[in-house]
Amino acid sequence: MDFQPAQPPIPDVPLKAPSNFFNRTLFICITALFVGFMLGIITWSILPFGKTEITTSSPLPISKINESKLPISLELLTNPIVYEWRGSVRGKITNKDESTFTLTDDNGNSIRITNQAPNRGVFKTIFSNKGEKMGKPILLKDIPIGTKLEGDFFIFRDDPNTPVGSFFLLE
């Protein structure tokens, strides 16, 4: 026979369930945290302090064009189907060289016109006396400074800042 010492009997003590107070407190804390989190998200999306605006700086300043001061509309100037523009001028020759001349009007406005078309070589600018039929062409080198001219020039898409002479009448 085995001899085992007698063990005292273990009393059956029922386990205590957590109290209602603990459950209620934990539920209130979790609910308060959740409501605070939701209010924070809503406030963040509505109020401006959470938003930052990212701006990029352009290397060249963009000038604002007052379209009312343009002789033609900006829409027409930027229309991709147009590849050249024509303008008309009137003034006196104030300066010239082999391929360019400068016209100046009575108000001091001036424009430098060339016969060098961009990527097209020499453009055949024609000079003629007013009232004469087309006869022998007049060369730019034969026109004295101070002569009044009236005529047309082209602006080509390849070189938008260079007026290229077309046809001019000497007055």
Side-chain angles (χ1 to χ4, degrees), residues 9 40-41 45 78 80 85 109 113-114 116 128 150 169:
I41 289 176
S45 65
T78 58
W85 295 264
N109 301 310
I113 300 173
T114 184
Q116 303 291 322
S128 179
E150 180 180 336
L169 291 172

Side-chain angles (χ1 to χ4, degrees), residues 67 71-85 157:
E67 194 169 346
I72 57 178
S73 74
L74 191 57
E75 181 180 348
L76 181 61
L77 283 174
T78 58
N79 189 335
I81 196 169
V82 180
Y83 62 92
E84 70 183 32
W85 295 264
R157 179 172 296 193

Side-chain angles (χ1 to χ4, degrees), residues 33-162:
L33 285 173
F34 179 75
V35 169
F37 180 74
M38 293 306 293
L39 286 174
I41 289 176
I42 292 170
T43 305
W44 182 271
S45 65
I46 293 174
L47 296 178
F49 62 79
K51 298 177 183 176
T52 58
E53 187 174 321
I54 299 172
T55 58
T56 58
S57 61
S58 62
L60 299 175
I62 299 172
S63 63
K64 297 193 181 217
I65 297 173
N66 185 351
E67 194 169 346
S68 66
K69 293 183 179 183
L70 293 174
I72 57 178
S73 74
L74 191 57
E75 181 180 348
L76 181 61
L77 283 174
T78 58
N79 189 335
I81 196 169
V82 180
Y83 62 92
E84 70 183 32
W85 295 264
R86 190 187 125 226
S88 298
V89 292
R90 181 181 306 135
K92 290 181 184 179
I93 295 179
T94 55
N95 194 3
K96 69 177 186 169
D97 61 26
E98 292 177 6
S99 60
T100 63
F101 62 96
T102 302
L103 286 181
T104 305
D105 68 4
D106 294 335
N107 297 326
N109 301 310
S110 65
I111 186 169
R112 185 171 178 242
I113 300 173
T114 184
N115 67 352
Q116 303 291 322
N119 302 324
R120 291 180 181 88
V122 176
F123 197 80
K124 303 230 188 252
T125 303
I126 300 171
F127 297 95
S128 179
N129 283 316
K130 195 170 192 176
E132 287 186 13
K133 290 185 180 180
M134 286 297 291
K136 183 179 175 189
I138 300 171
L139 301 175
L140 178 58
K141 68 179 184 175
D142 297 331
I143 302 172
I145 290 182
T147 303
K148 288 185 180 182
L149 294 181
E150 180 180 336
D152 301 325
F153 63 87
F154 290 105
I155 300 290
F156 295 100
R157 179 172 296 193
D158 300 337
D159 195 0
N161 291 319
T162 305

Side-chain angles (χ1 to χ4, degrees), residues 10-38:
I10 300 175
D12 289 332
V13 178
L15 294 175
K16 252 185 164 179
S19 69
N20 263 348
F21 175 77
F22 180 71
N23 283 343
R24 188 174 288 154
T25 305
L26 182 63
F27 176 76
I28 290 173
C29 288
I30 290 175
T31 303
L33 285 173
F34 179 75
V35 169
F37 180 74
M38 293 306 293

